[in-house]
Amino acid sequence: MILELDCGNSFIKWRVIRRGLPVVVAGGVVDSDEKLVDAIASIPGLSLRHSRMVSVRNEEETQKLALAITESFGLQTQCASSARVLAGVRNGYEAYERLGLDRWLALVGAYATVGRSCLVLDLGTAVTSDFVDAQGEHLGGFICPGMPLMRGQLKTHTRRIRYDDAAAEEAHSSFAPGRSTAEAVERGCTLMLRGFAVSQLELAHQYWGDDFVVFVTGGDADLVKDVTPGAKLVPDLVFVGLALACPLL
Ligand SMILES: Nc1ncnc2c1ncn2[C@@H]1O[C@H](COP(=O)(O)OP(=O)(O)OP(=O)(O)O)[C@@H](O)[C@H]1O
Ligand SMILES: CC(C)(CO)[C@@H](O)C(=O)NCCC(=O)O
Ligand SMILES: [K+]
């Protein structure tokens, strides 16, 4: 079995797959190295043989997590690294090593899946979009704040924007103008994300007409699903790219 880790800015997504089979044996989302180790250790019957990881954290934090995996499970973790070209895709950044590895693996995974022009939207702590054409040229993309950052900035820089998680969740029942702070902020920020998604679709139409595939991933993918009809909702897109970046030796 293979342990796969996607170490984002706020959360660590993990899963265990069977070698050679597209079968997910276990998986989850945690917010610390310790909870990751506990979560994996609590699953009975795992026989981990390999470990691979993509991380957008700094080198020190990434190595600390790899060390925790070695100490707890006796596994060396293969870490994805930047590349100019992978699986038929050419990185569009001038300084290719600066492109976030989560973006890189998601767009490589998307293109490898369909072999056609792709728009990849990833809605996490940050929201990103990336454009890959039918020849596998990455044209670049955009980065903007995601829901957690938009909410956080409003709370940090105002005195009176305060509400609890329960109110936040209830606010998502409609897009009517908010009649409470929670509704006003949650719906306002969601509408910003949806507007961004629509603008990305428009750009893709300008480039490629109707001949492209939209992939949506990340913890907040659901917030844009009804403005991206026909999009492929692929929560584990980064892992598709990770398998290409870190094939088993
Ligand atoms: N099971 C879950 N656990 C944690 N967050 C979740 C979950 N489901 C949805 N979310 C939402 O997903 C968002 C975080 O997205 P995601 O986990 O893709 O990104 P991240 O790891 O924080 O950051 P990055 O963008 O660097 O990957 C949060 O807004 C959170 O509300
Ligand atoms: C944009 C994020 C934070 C999204 O997770 C990540 O891909 C990242 O840290 N990227 C580095 C900057 C860049 O991609 O240009
Ligand atoms: K991500």
Side-chain angles (χ1 to χ4, degrees), residues 6-13 28-30 56-57 102 122-128 146-148 151 217-221 223:
D6 170 9
C7 188
N9 277 299
S10 313
F11 297 101
I12 303 168
K13 278 75 67 178
V29 184
V30 290
V56 295
R57 298 188 186 176
D102 53 347
D122 186 343
L123 294 95
T125 307
V127 168
T128 61
M147 282 301 274
R151 264 186 208 115
T217 189
D220 285 323
L223 297 180

Side-chain angles (χ1 to χ4, degrees), residues 9 56 93 98-100 102-103 126 128 143:
N9 277 299
V56 295
Y93 265 30
R98 299 256 175 179
L99 176 69
D102 53 347
R103 294 174 60 193
T128 61
I143 304 174

Side-chain angles (χ1 to χ4, degrees), residues 6-23:
D6 170 9
C7 188
N9 277 299
S10 313
F11 297 101
I12 303 168
K13 278 75 67 178
W14 67 275
R15 69 178 199 177
V16 173
I17 57 168
R18 253 180 238 287
R19 188 175 184 166
L21 295 171
V23 178

